[in-house]
Short mmCIF file of all heavy atoms in Angstrom, two decimals:
data_model
loop_
_atom_site.label_atom_id
_atom_site.label_comp_id
_atom_site.label_asym_id
_atom_site.label_seq_id
_atom_site.Cartn_x
_atom_site.Cartn_y
_atom_site.Cartn_z
N TYR A 1 16.77 26.56 12.16
CA TYR A 1 16.63 27.89 12.77
C TYR A 1 15.19 28.39 12.62
O TYR A 1 14.59 28.80 13.61
CB TYR A 1 17.64 28.86 12.18
CG TYR A 1 17.35 30.28 12.48
CD1 TYR A 1 17.72 30.84 13.75
CD2 TYR A 1 16.69 31.14 11.63
CE1 TYR A 1 17.52 32.13 14.09
CE2 TYR A 1 16.45 32.47 11.91
CZ TYR A 1 16.81 32.93 13.15
OH TYR A 1 16.54 34.26 13.46
N CYS A 2 14.73 28.35 11.39
CA CYS A 2 13.31 28.98 11.11
C CYS A 2 12.28 28.13 11.91
O CYS A 2 11.26 28.66 12.39
CB CYS A 2 13.07 29.03 9.68
SG CYS A 2 14.05 30.22 8.77
N TRP A 3 12.45 26.78 11.92
CA TRP A 3 11.51 25.94 12.56
C TRP A 3 11.41 26.23 14.05
O TRP A 3 10.36 26.37 14.69
CB TRP A 3 11.88 24.49 12.34
CG TRP A 3 10.71 23.53 12.69
CD1 TRP A 3 9.81 22.96 11.80
CD2 TRP A 3 10.35 22.99 13.98
NE1 TRP A 3 8.92 22.20 12.44
CE2 TRP A 3 9.19 22.19 13.83
CE3 TRP A 3 10.87 23.17 15.30
CZ2 TRP A 3 8.59 21.48 14.83
CZ3 TRP A 3 10.24 22.49 16.33
CH2 TRP A 3 9.19 21.63 16.10
N LEU A 4 12.60 26.37 14.73
CA LEU A 4 12.63 26.59 16.14
C LEU A 4 12.07 27.97 16.44
O LEU A 4 11.26 28.10 17.50
CB LEU A 4 14.05 26.43 16.63
CG LEU A 4 14.66 25.05 16.61
CD1 LEU A 4 16.08 25.06 17.07
CD2 LEU A 4 13.87 24.08 17.57
N VAL A 5 12.42 29.01 15.74
CA VAL A 5 11.85 30.34 15.99
C VAL A 5 10.39 30.34 15.78
O VAL A 5 9.61 30.97 16.53
CB VAL A 5 12.62 31.39 15.10
CG1 VAL A 5 11.95 32.73 15.29
CG2 VAL A 5 14.12 31.39 15.43
N THR A 6 9.90 29.67 14.71
CA THR A 6 8.52 29.66 14.44
C THR A 6 7.78 28.96 15.55
O THR A 6 6.64 29.34 15.93
CB THR A 6 8.24 28.94 13.09
OG1 THR A 6 8.89 29.69 12.05
CG2 THR A 6 6.80 28.86 12.77
N ALA A 7 8.31 27.84 16.02
CA ALA A 7 7.67 27.07 17.15
C ALA A 7 7.50 28.00 18.42
O ALA A 7 6.47 27.92 19.08
CB ALA A 7 8.51 25.81 17.50
N TRP A 8 8.58 28.76 18.63
CA TRP A 8 8.48 29.61 19.88
C TRP A 8 7.43 30.72 19.67
O TRP A 8 6.64 30.97 20.61
CB TRP A 8 9.85 30.29 20.08
CG TRP A 8 9.89 31.50 20.91
CD1 TRP A 8 10.18 32.73 20.68
CD2 TRP A 8 9.51 31.49 22.33
NE1 TRP A 8 10.07 33.55 21.78
CE2 TRP A 8 9.64 32.81 22.83
CE3 TRP A 8 9.10 30.52 23.28
CZ2 TRP A 8 9.37 33.24 24.11
CZ3 TRP A 8 8.82 30.90 24.57
CH2 TRP A 8 8.92 32.24 24.98
N LEU A 9 7.40 31.33 18.48
CA LEU A 9 6.38 32.30 18.14
C LEU A 9 5.01 31.76 18.15
O LEU A 9 4.03 32.39 18.56
CB LEU A 9 6.70 32.99 16.90
CG LEU A 9 7.99 33.93 16.90
CD1 LEU A 9 8.20 34.49 15.53
CD2 LEU A 9 7.77 35.10 17.90
N ALA A 10 4.89 30.55 17.62
CA ALA A 10 3.53 29.88 17.66
C ALA A 10 3.00 29.66 19.03
O ALA A 10 1.79 29.83 19.29
CB ALA A 10 3.63 28.51 16.94
N LEU A 11 3.86 29.31 19.99
CA LEU A 11 3.48 29.18 21.34
C LEU A 11 3.08 30.50 21.94
O LEU A 11 2.05 30.59 22.64
CB LEU A 11 4.62 28.63 22.19
CG LEU A 11 4.35 28.37 23.70
CD1 LEU A 11 3.21 27.41 23.85
CD2 LEU A 11 5.58 27.87 24.38
N ARG A 12 3.72 31.57 21.60
CA ARG A 12 3.36 32.93 22.04
C ARG A 12 1.98 33.33 21.47
O ARG A 12 1.18 33.86 22.22
CB ARG A 12 4.41 33.94 21.58
CG ARG A 12 5.71 33.95 22.34
CD ARG A 12 6.62 35.12 21.91
NE ARG A 12 5.96 36.40 22.05
CZ ARG A 12 6.45 37.52 21.54
NH1 ARG A 12 7.53 37.51 20.87
NH2 ARG A 12 5.75 38.67 21.70
N VAL A 13 1.77 33.03 20.17
CA VAL A 13 0.51 33.37 19.58
C VAL A 13 -0.60 32.57 20.26
O VAL A 13 -1.73 33.11 20.49
CB VAL A 13 0.57 33.14 18.08
CG1 VAL A 13 -0.81 33.37 17.43
CG2 VAL A 13 1.54 34.04 17.42
N PHE A 14 -0.34 31.31 20.51
CA PHE A 14 -1.30 30.47 21.09
C PHE A 14 -1.76 30.92 22.49
O PHE A 14 -3.00 30.96 22.81
CB PHE A 14 -0.86 28.99 21.18
CG PHE A 14 -1.80 27.98 21.72
CD1 PHE A 14 -2.83 27.57 20.85
CD2 PHE A 14 -1.77 27.58 22.96
CE1 PHE A 14 -3.79 26.66 21.25
CE2 PHE A 14 -2.73 26.64 23.49
CZ PHE A 14 -3.77 26.17 22.60
N LEU A 15 -0.77 31.33 23.29
CA LEU A 15 -1.02 31.83 24.61
C LEU A 15 -1.73 33.21 24.59
O LEU A 15 -2.54 33.51 25.42
CB LEU A 15 0.26 31.89 25.45
CG LEU A 15 0.88 30.51 25.72
CD1 LEU A 15 2.17 30.70 26.46
CD2 LEU A 15 -0.05 29.61 26.57
N ARG A 16 -1.36 34.02 23.61
CA ARG A 16 -1.81 35.40 23.56
C ARG A 16 -3.24 35.56 22.89
O ARG A 16 -4.10 36.21 23.36
CB ARG A 16 -0.92 36.34 22.85
CG ARG A 16 -1.24 37.76 22.78
CD ARG A 16 -0.16 38.58 22.19
NE ARG A 16 -0.50 40.04 22.12
CZ ARG A 16 0.26 40.96 21.62
NH1 ARG A 16 1.39 40.68 21.16
NH2 ARG A 16 -0.20 42.22 21.65
N HIS A 17 -3.33 34.78 21.75
CA HIS A 17 -4.62 34.97 20.98
C HIS A 17 -5.39 33.63 20.93
O HIS A 17 -6.62 33.64 20.84
CB HIS A 17 -4.26 35.34 19.51
CG HIS A 17 -3.46 36.57 19.42
ND1 HIS A 17 -3.98 37.88 19.65
CD2 HIS A 17 -2.17 36.72 19.03
CE1 HIS A 17 -3.00 38.74 19.39
NE2 HIS A 17 -1.92 38.11 19.04
N GLY A 18 -4.68 32.47 20.95
CA GLY A 18 -5.31 31.22 20.65
C GLY A 18 -5.57 31.03 19.16
O GLY A 18 -5.62 32.05 18.47
N PHE A 19 -5.60 29.82 18.69
CA PHE A 19 -6.05 29.58 17.29
C PHE A 19 -6.63 28.21 17.19
O PHE A 19 -6.33 27.30 17.95
CB PHE A 19 -4.87 29.77 16.34
CG PHE A 19 -3.55 29.10 16.75
CD1 PHE A 19 -3.37 27.75 16.58
CD2 PHE A 19 -2.51 29.76 17.34
CE1 PHE A 19 -2.20 27.04 16.91
CE2 PHE A 19 -1.37 29.15 17.73
CZ PHE A 19 -1.20 27.84 17.48
N ASP A 20 -7.54 28.13 16.19
CA ASP A 20 -8.19 26.86 15.89
C ASP A 20 -7.65 26.06 14.78
O ASP A 20 -7.91 24.86 14.64
CB ASP A 20 -9.74 27.13 15.57
CG ASP A 20 -10.40 27.97 16.70
OD1 ASP A 20 -10.76 27.46 17.68
OD2 ASP A 20 -10.58 29.23 16.46
N ALA A 21 -6.81 26.71 13.97
CA ALA A 21 -6.20 26.09 12.79
C ALA A 21 -4.87 26.67 12.56
O ALA A 21 -4.63 27.84 12.72
CB ALA A 21 -7.11 26.22 11.56
N ILE A 22 -3.96 25.78 12.08
CA ILE A 22 -2.65 26.23 11.60
C ILE A 22 -2.65 26.04 10.12
O ILE A 22 -2.94 24.97 9.63
CB ILE A 22 -1.50 25.43 12.22
CG1 ILE A 22 -1.38 25.78 13.70
CG2 ILE A 22 -0.14 25.78 11.52
CD1 ILE A 22 -0.32 24.96 14.40
N GLN A 23 -2.33 27.06 9.34
CA GLN A 23 -2.13 26.95 7.88
C GLN A 23 -0.67 27.19 7.62
O GLN A 23 -0.18 28.25 7.73
CB GLN A 23 -2.98 28.02 7.16
CG GLN A 23 -2.85 27.99 5.68
CD GLN A 23 -3.73 29.03 4.98
OE1 GLN A 23 -4.80 29.28 5.44
NE2 GLN A 23 -3.24 29.64 3.88
N ALA A 24 -0.01 26.12 7.19
CA ALA A 24 1.37 26.19 6.88
C ALA A 24 1.61 26.25 5.37
O ALA A 24 1.17 25.38 4.62
CB ALA A 24 2.15 24.96 7.44
N CYS A 25 2.31 27.25 4.97
CA CYS A 25 2.57 27.52 3.50
C CYS A 25 4.03 27.03 3.22
O CYS A 25 4.95 27.46 3.84
CB CYS A 25 2.55 29.00 3.15
SG CYS A 25 0.95 29.78 3.71
N ASN A 26 4.15 26.09 2.27
CA ASN A 26 5.46 25.64 1.99
C ASN A 26 6.00 26.47 0.80
O ASN A 26 5.29 27.19 0.11
CB ASN A 26 5.38 24.13 1.55
CG ASN A 26 5.04 23.92 0.13
OD1 ASN A 26 4.26 24.70 -0.49
ND2 ASN A 26 5.52 22.87 -0.48
N PRO A 27 7.38 26.40 0.56
CA PRO A 27 8.34 25.51 1.18
C PRO A 27 8.82 26.14 2.56
O PRO A 27 8.60 27.31 2.75
CB PRO A 27 9.45 25.55 0.18
CG PRO A 27 9.38 26.86 -0.55
CD PRO A 27 7.90 27.16 -0.59
N PRO A 28 9.33 25.30 3.46
CA PRO A 28 9.60 23.90 3.30
C PRO A 28 8.46 23.02 3.85
O PRO A 28 7.49 23.63 4.41
CB PRO A 28 10.87 23.71 4.13
CG PRO A 28 10.66 24.68 5.27
CD PRO A 28 9.97 25.89 4.69
N ASP A 29 8.56 21.73 3.65
CA ASP A 29 7.55 20.84 4.21
C ASP A 29 7.95 20.28 5.56
O ASP A 29 8.05 19.05 5.73
CB ASP A 29 7.34 19.65 3.22
CG ASP A 29 6.72 20.14 1.85
OD1 ASP A 29 5.93 21.06 1.89
OD2 ASP A 29 7.02 19.54 0.86
N THR A 30 8.20 21.16 6.48
CA THR A 30 8.67 20.76 7.79
C THR A 30 7.78 21.03 8.94
O THR A 30 7.91 20.56 10.02
CB THR A 30 10.05 21.38 8.09
OG1 THR A 30 9.94 22.79 7.97
CG2 THR A 30 11.13 20.89 7.14
N PHE A 31 6.74 21.92 8.70
CA PHE A 31 5.93 22.45 9.79
C PHE A 31 4.80 21.46 10.19
O PHE A 31 4.04 21.73 11.12
CB PHE A 31 5.38 23.81 9.45
CG PHE A 31 6.44 24.83 9.48
CD1 PHE A 31 6.82 25.43 8.23
CD2 PHE A 31 7.11 25.17 10.60
CE1 PHE A 31 7.78 26.46 8.23
CE2 PHE A 31 8.09 26.16 10.57
CZ PHE A 31 8.45 26.79 9.35
N PHE A 32 4.68 20.26 9.51
CA PHE A 32 3.77 19.25 9.96
C PHE A 32 4.10 18.79 11.37
O PHE A 32 3.22 18.52 12.19
CB PHE A 32 3.71 18.10 9.00
CG PHE A 32 4.95 17.22 9.13
CD1 PHE A 32 4.96 16.11 10.00
CD2 PHE A 32 6.10 17.47 8.39
CE1 PHE A 32 6.16 15.34 10.09
CE2 PHE A 32 7.27 16.73 8.50
CZ PHE A 32 7.25 15.64 9.39
N ALA A 33 5.42 18.78 11.71
CA ALA A 33 5.85 18.39 13.01
C ALA A 33 5.40 19.29 14.10
O ALA A 33 5.05 18.96 15.19
CB ALA A 33 7.37 18.19 13.05
N LEU A 34 5.40 20.62 13.74
CA LEU A 34 4.89 21.65 14.65
C LEU A 34 3.37 21.49 14.84
O LEU A 34 2.81 21.59 15.97
CB LEU A 34 5.27 23.03 14.18
CG LEU A 34 4.72 24.21 14.98
CD1 LEU A 34 5.19 24.18 16.38
CD2 LEU A 34 5.15 25.49 14.30
N ALA A 35 2.70 21.23 13.73
CA ALA A 35 1.22 21.13 13.82
C ALA A 35 0.78 19.90 14.60
O ALA A 35 -0.29 19.95 15.24
CB ALA A 35 0.64 21.10 12.39
N LEU A 36 1.62 18.89 14.61
CA LEU A 36 1.18 17.62 15.30
C LEU A 36 1.01 17.92 16.80
O LEU A 36 0.00 17.43 17.40
CB LEU A 36 2.30 16.56 15.13
CG LEU A 36 2.21 15.74 13.89
CD1 LEU A 36 3.45 14.84 13.78
CD2 LEU A 36 0.98 14.85 13.91
N GLY A 37 1.86 18.73 17.40
CA GLY A 37 1.68 19.04 18.78
C GLY A 37 0.44 19.75 19.08
O GLY A 37 -0.26 19.49 20.10
N PHE A 38 0.08 20.72 18.26
CA PHE A 38 -1.13 21.53 18.47
C PHE A 38 -2.37 20.69 18.14
O PHE A 38 -3.45 21.02 18.66
CB PHE A 38 -1.08 22.82 17.72
CG PHE A 38 -0.13 23.83 18.22
CD1 PHE A 38 1.15 24.02 17.73
CD2 PHE A 38 -0.43 24.60 19.36
CE1 PHE A 38 1.98 24.93 18.20
CE2 PHE A 38 0.37 25.52 19.90
CZ PHE A 38 1.63 25.73 19.33
#
């Protein structure tokens, strides 16, 4: 649930503000998959 909601919000942030880097704070260690796309 958190991964999917975060992915949706990350897309919103990217389109609205843009970003050059993603800093993912664990736990959990799952957001590498989201970072791969960006």
Side-chain angles (χ1 to χ4, degrees):
Y1 165 80
C2 292
W3 196 96
L4 291 174
V5 175
T6 298
W8 164 245
L9 289 175
L11 181 59
R12 285 185 57 191
V13 174
F14 186 77
L15 295 176
R16 183 176 180 180
H17 306 287
F19 48 79
D20 305 284
I22 294 177
Q23 176 178 326
C25 308
N26 85 327
D29 292 328
T30 55
F31 291 112
F32 73 92
L34 176 60
L36 275 173
F38 287 100

